[in-house]
Amino acid sequence: MSTPTIPHAVPGATTAAASAAAAATQDNVPPPLAPSSHPPSAPIVCVVGFHHARGPEIETWFGVEDGEDPAVDNDWSYLPFMALSDGVHTSVEDFSYFTLRRKATPTKSATSLFGISCTRQLDATALINRPKDVTRSTVQKALVVVAESALGFWQLRERLGVVTQAWFAQRDFTDVDILKMFQDSLVKHYPDAEDERDQYLGLSLRELIHEYKHQTLVLFKCCLLQPKMLFFSTRCERLCMIQFSLISLIPGLLRRLEDSADPDFDTYEKTVVTPTSLQTSNRNSLLAYMGLPLQLFGKGSLFGPYTPLQQLDTLADYGTKSYMVGSTNSLLLQQRDRYSDIIINLDDSTISITSPSLRNALALSAADRRWIDFLHSTILSTWDESNPSRPSTHGYLGSEEFIRLQFEEYLLALLSSVKYHHFLKNEAMKASSPGPQHNSPSASTTSLASSAQQQQQQDHTTSLPSKESDPSIDFNPEWIAAWQKTSNYALFARTTDAYLFAIVEPKHPTAGGLSIDDINRRLTQQIQDLHLDERIAVGKEVVGRHLTTGQKKVSTVFAGLWADIEAQKKRYEENRRLREQQQQQQLAGHVGGYYGDGTTSTTADTQCEKSSSSPSPSFSTMLGSSPTSSTTGTTTTTTYATMRGSPYAKFDTAALRAKAPDLTHAQASVNAAGQKAGAYLSSWGSWASEKRKGWGQAGGGGGGRGAGSPSTSASVSGVENGGSSSPMSVGSESRRGAGGGFSLGLARTGTGPGMAMGSGTEKNGERFGGDGRGSDGGGGSPIKSSVRSPRRKSGGGSGEKEKRGVDGIGRLDA
């Protein structure tokens, strides 16, 4: 499809603009951007306080005539609730912005007023003159300024905050002189709004784009569709500032908000005129010719930067078709489906679109994303954390003015592209018609400038132009279709020329086909929309929490196991000490029985039998002498080596010797034992004599042991009279000579010095028996007997001595 020819009259618009401007001046037609013709009223001031019983209420007015109450005259029953926002008690200082409806008077027309309040609180105990009705712990008041224009609020905010702080610093709210002087200064020096740069003070678009990124463009295009927009935040000032930031992106809209306070107001639409002239060197003239500002708050619309819950009836009214309001009460979030099409939660930085049709219309095209990404990257490259409102380079690129001009360029290109879209539709419709329409009186009387409604009908009956020639495709056709249904588009189509695309090029600022960069950008954005970082962070937190819990459990188990081991070890040590103590006590009891008082419960016979059946430590063992140990056959001699650490070594031998022994029982025991031993040895002697006879016949003489010669035996008995009644030990020794021999000796061992008595016989060079030799007894314990295995020694004449004796106190020598 070929590009249509632009009408020739449009390029001469500059010349025609001059004549049209002169004609407009002669006819006294006001400029489209001019404010209302009546002179503005002076700002007025009031004080709003919180009463413990009646709630928020207006206390006094400044700047009004005596006896007048603007709140009563204009039905401002919601003013106290607007000044003291919900949750303001949690802040030291907060600001609220709101709109008020002024009724018509004989001298003034009905219009919208704008209010700003500064709220602070003071401890009631700090008041100098505390009123009787102050029963709460804190006093909360707000200083309010009501003016006809919101343009000077950004300078007014600083002055209002300083005055409010000074008034609270007096600690006497009855002294209102400072408030009167403040109102007088507002009358004389109210901020002038002629300079357009002043109206943007306090609104940081850099922070808005830095926080919301591409969603900033979504919100901007959403405002043009005029849905029901609800902003929520716990901080009232931030809530209001974001809304003013968005509407300030539409050039000239802050100057024409006279219909924003009431859905019934329609002053702008009734008074606006179609511009007939254009001065390209004049920015205001160009904006007016392009149909700006787009009136978002006309009939059926409402703008309330802060809207209390008391105004919910107005929001739910049938006549309220669209609005942009803010709230600090979370109750509205619970009824989002009823009161909003889109919710912007500033605390969570989230945007929730509840209307499906609105969600599809607000989808950004590839060109839109490319454009907003350019702005975002520019801001990031010049971001200064210490001063977010200014670029780090202190230059123009990335500044507030730069951002506003970028949005202005985008909006002008959008308007021009839409006009060119309609022009292409009309050309396509004419080309597809079979011929001139005769008998159609309406076709000859309808002009192109006043056919906005007819264009909307044609949009549904004609086909869209090709994508190659229609620049509106880059702005999302679904959004354009939704915008054409709004009231601000109808006013735009009615008050603008059909050939605006001849003034501004109908092209998206970042138009172009889909490129690899766009795909990468879209993928990156989709990944960001998934919030993988947040989910991974949550997963990491959960895993870390479980690991910490598991570590604690494992540590607890190991700690408990180690504690059990230590407890078992302690119990084992305690049991071991108890056993040692018991053994020591038992040994001490035995020693006391043997050596203490001289009495014992056992008899000598019993002691003798026990001594012969169990090993007995030597006295050197009990004294701690050097240990020795030996084993012969089945008999073992126990020495100090097997008794190291035994309680025997702890006894003091000197103490035992010092005691005077009682020999009465010992003598009786020795006599009884001697009798039994004599009888026993006599029997052995008889048996040995009989055997000797046989051995004498079979054996031969000579040195060494003859083959097959039996040894002769004799018996000897020896009794050692000791100092106590210790048991008697029996020992034997044999000496084998030429003919072989055997000797047996019996010794009695005591604890004290004694003499061993023994007898023996010797026949044919062989001795029977042996001397019993006693030694000083030093132990106080029973003496065990031990038997040594025989040792054999070959030799002539001397023979081998085999000894089986007692290794105790008394020793038996050959």
Side-chain angles (χ1 to χ4, degrees):
M1 180 178 178
S2 60
T3 303
T5 305
I6 300 176
H8 62 83
V10 177
T14 304
T15 305
S19 59
T25 304
Q26 293 176 359
D27 297 337
N28 296 326
V29 178
L33 292 179
S36 302
S37 57
H38 60 82
S41 302
I44 56 179
V45 179
C46 72
V47 176
V48 176
F50 186 88
H51 193 270
H52 69 280
R54 298 185 294 269
E57 60 181 4
I58 300 176
E59 297 179 353
T60 182
W61 284 95
F62 301 96
V64 298
E65 300 293 335
D66 293 340
E68 290 186 2
D69 190 348
V72 176
D73 298 340
N74 297 281
D75 192 17
W76 291 346
S77 58
Y78 301 149
L79 174 60
F81 301 96
M82 295 176 177
L84 292 175
S85 60
D86 294 333
V88 72
H89 60 278
T90 60
S91 303
V92 177
E93 181 185 59
D94 202 359
F95 291 85
S96 175
Y97 301 81
F98 49 89
T99 57
L100 296 170
R101 181 184 186 276
R102 187 183 65 184
K103 293 182 178 180
T105 61
T107 58
K108 298 179 182 179
S109 61
T111 187
S112 299
L113 301 180
F114 302 90
I116 176 175
S117 68
C118 179
T119 306
R120 296 183 70 92
Q121 52 188 350
L122 181 67
D123 193 350
T125 57
L127 291 175
I128 298 177
N129 297 321
R130 180 173 180 174
K132 295 181 180 180
D133 56 350
V134 177
T135 58
R136 300 171 63 92
S137 60
T138 58
V139 179
Q140 192 177 61
K141 293 183 182 295
L143 187 61
V144 184
V145 177
V146 180
E148 288 189 353
S149 176
L151 291 176
F153 274 9
W154 325 132
Q155 298 94 327
L156 181 60
R157 177 199 177 280
E158 302 298 331
R159 298 171 61 185
L160 180 62
V162 171
V163 172
T164 306
Q165 183 178 4
W167 186 44
F168 270 74
Q170 296 178 166
R171 296 184 301 164
D172 185 6
F173 294 124
T174 59
D175 186 1
V176 294
D177 293 339
I178 189 175
L179 303 183
K180 294 179 181 179
M181 291 187 292
F182 173 61
Q183 197 278 331
D184 294 339
S185 66
L186 292 179
V187 175
K188 297 177 181 178
H189 306 287
Y190 189 73
D192 189 7
E194 293 298 329
D195 191 352
E196 294 182 5
R197 291 175 299 180
D198 294 339
Q199 61 181 310
Y200 308 131
L201 183 63
L203 300 176
S204 178
L205 294 176
R206 287 176 53 85
E207 297 181 30
L208 179 64
I209 298 177
H210 183 270
E211 181 175 357
Y212 288 96
K213 304 177 180 61
H214 72 282
Q215 298 288 355
T216 306
L217 183 58
V218 173
L219 294 177
F220 173 73
K221 298 181 74 172
C222 183
C223 294
L224 299 178
L225 296 182
Q226 294 181 274
K228 295 180 178 180
M229 300 182 66
L230 175 61
F231 292 79
F232 171 80
S233 177
T234 55
R235 291 299 305 272
C236 187
E237 183 177 20
R238 187 169 184 264
L239 178 76
C240 302
M241 288 293 97
I242 294 295
Q243 299 176 63
F244 277 113
S245 298
L246 290 175
I247 65 175
S248 67
L249 293 175
I250 302 177
L253 183 57
L254 285 176
R255 297 173 179 270
R256 304 310 302 266
L257 293 176
E258 61 265 25
D259 300 331
S260 61
D262 195 325
D264 295 333
F265 286 167
D266 196 15
T267 305
Y268 179 83
E269 186 176 358
K270 294 178 180 179
T271 58
V272 68
V273 295
T274 303
T276 56
S277 63
L278 173 62
Q279 295 180 2
T280 56
S281 60
N282 189 339
R283 177 175 174 270
N284 289 337
S285 177
L286 176 62
L287 296 178
Y289 192 82
M290 295 297 295
L292 296 176
L294 298 175
Q295 187 53 257
L296 303 182
F297 308 109
K299 189 173 181 61
S301 300
L302 175 67
F303 175 52
Y306 173 71
T307 303
L309 293 180
Q310 286 74 13
Q311 278 189 295
L312 289 181
D313 294 339
T314 304
L315 301 181
D317 188 74
Y318 179 78
T320 306
K321 305 299 182 182
S322 66
Y323 48 75
M324 181 188 294
V325 296
S327 176
T328 58
N329 197 309
S330 60
L331 292 178
L332 288 179
L333 297 179
Q334 303 175 5
Q335 302 181 12
R336 60 181 65 190
D337 295 336
R338 179 181 180 184
Y339 291 105
S340 65
D341 295 327
I342 178 173
I343 292 181
I344 300 93
N345 192 329
L346 303 182
D347 291 345
D348 299 338
S349 299
T350 57
I351 298 176
S352 302
I353 304 176
T354 58
S355 173
S357 59
L358 182 62
R359 186 182 299 108
N360 296 332
L362 292 178
L364 298 180
S365 63
D368 285 341
R369 285 187 175 272
R370 191 182 304 122
W371 181 81
I372 192 62
D373 287 341
F374 161 73
L375 275 183
H376 183 239
S377 61
T378 303
I379 293 173
L380 285 180
S381 62
T382 60
W383 186 256
D384 186 3
E385 198 67 39
S386 60
N387 189 6
S389 61
R390 292 182 179 275
S392 58
T393 58
H394 299 283
Y396 172 74
L397 189 66
S399 62
E400 294 283 319
E401 193 66 22
F402 170 80
I403 297 173
R404 295 186 186 279
L405 290 180
Q406 294 297 319
F407 273 94
E408 183 178 307
E409 179 186 3
Y410 179 89
L411 185 57
L412 292 177
L414 171 63
L415 299 178
S416 179
S417 298
V418 171
K419 283 294 184 178
Y420 189 66
H421 172 76
H422 288 299
F423 177 76
L424 294 178
K425 279 187 176 182
N426 293 333
E427 291 296 325
M429 183 182 61
K430 291 178 182 179
S432 61
S433 60
Q437 296 182 359
H438 302 286
N439 302 326
S440 178
S442 60
S444 60
T445 58
T446 304
S447 61
L448 185 61
S450 60
S451 61
Q453 296 180 355
Q454 202 172 36
Q455 289 178 4
Q456 295 179 4
Q457 295 177 358
Q458 293 172 0
D459 293 340
H460 301 282
T461 57
T462 60
S463 59
L464 289 173
S466 62
K467 295 183 179 179
E468 291 78 7
S469 59
D470 189 2
S472 64
I473 300 299
D474 291 332
F475 294 95
N476 188 1
E478 292 188 17
W479 183 89
I480 293 178
W483 182 49
Q484 291 173 356
K485 300 176 184 179
T486 61
S487 60
N488 73 86
Y489 172 79
L491 183 61
F492 163 76
R494 180 171 63 86
T495 59
T496 55
D497 191 85
Y499 302 102
L500 292 180
F501 52 86
I503 307 301
V504 177
E505 183 181 6
K507 182 181 179 181
H508 197 286
T510 55
L514 191 64
S515 62
I516 299 298
D517 294 337
D518 296 331
I519 296 175
N520 293 335
R521 189 181 301 107
R522 182 171 297 182
L523 290 176
T524 303
Q525 187 59 48
Q526 289 178 353
I527 293 175
Q528 292 178 357
D529 293 340
L530 293 176
H531 302 287
L532 295 179
D533 294 340
E534 297 178 2
R535 296 180 182 180
I536 291 175
V538 174
K540 287 182 178 179
E541 182 180 357
V542 173
V543 172
R545 187 164 55 250
H546 285 299
L547 288 177
T548 303
T549 304
Q551 184 179 4
K552 291 181 179 178
K553 291 182 179 179
V554 172
S555 300
T556 303
V557 171
F558 276 102
L561 180 61
W562 187 256
D564 294 340
I565 293 175
E566 292 293 332
Q568 287 288 99
K569 186 176 179 181
K570 289 182 179 179
R571 286 194 293 269
Y572 175 78
E573 293 293 335
E574 291 177 358
N575 294 335
R576 186 179 63 81
R577 286 194 296 269
L578 289 176
R579 287 195 298 269
E580 291 179 354
Q581 292 177 1
Q582 292 176 358
Q583 292 176 359
Q584 292 178 2
Q585 292 176 0
Q586 292 177 359
L587 293 175
H590 286 300
V591 171
Y594 292 132
Y595 303 106
D597 53 1
T599 61
T600 180
S601 61
T602 60
T603 62
D605 297 339
T606 304
Q607 296 296 334
C608 182
E609 293 176 358
K610 287 184 179 180
S611 177
S612 62
S613 62
S614 61
S616 177
S618 64
F619 186 70
S620 61
T621 302
M622 294 184 290
L623 295 179
S625 60
S626 60
T628 59
S629 176
S630 62
T631 304
T632 304
T634 59
T635 307
T636 304
T637 301
T638 304
T639 60
Y640 177 67
T642 59
M643 300 296 293
R644 183 178 297 274
S646 174
Y648 288 104
K650 299 180 181 179
F651 297 123
D652 189 355
T653 57
L656 293 176
R657 292 194 187 99
K659 283 189 175 183
D662 187 1
L663 302 180
T664 305
H665 296 282
Q667 188 66 34
S669 299
V670 168
N671 295 333
Q675 294 176 1
K676 289 184 179 182
Y680 178 76
L681 292 177
S682 298
S683 63
W684 268 97
S686 301
W687 177 83
S689 299
E690 295 177 359
K691 289 294 180 181
R692 182 174 176 276
K693 294 177 180 181
W695 293 341
Q697 296 175 0
R705 188 174 62 177
S709 61
S711 60
T712 61
S713 63
S715 65
V716 63
S717 65
V719 178
E720 179 184 350
N721 294 326
S724 66
S725 59
S726 61
M728 181 181 63
S729 59
V730 178
S732 64
E733 71 173 27
S734 64
R735 178 182 296 172
R736 292 181 183 179
F742 178 82
S743 64
L744 176 65
L746 177 65
R748 175 69 180 177
T749 305
T751 58
M755 178 179 295
M757 296 181 297
S759 62
T761 61
E762 184 176 355
K763 185 177 182 180
N764 296 328
E766 295 181 358
R767 184 173 62 89
F768 294 89
D771 295 333
R773 186 181 302 174
S775 62
D776 295 340
S781 60
I783 300 173
K784 299 180 181 180
S785 63
S786 60
V787 179
R788 293 184 179 181
S789 59
R791 291 178 297 177
R792 297 178 180 177
K793 183 178 180 182
S794 299
S798 62
E800 179 185 358
K801 180 179 181 181
E802 182 173 337
K803 186 176 185 179
R804 295 176 182 175
V806 177
D807 190 7
I809 298 177
R811 296 184 180 271
L812 181 63
D813 297 332

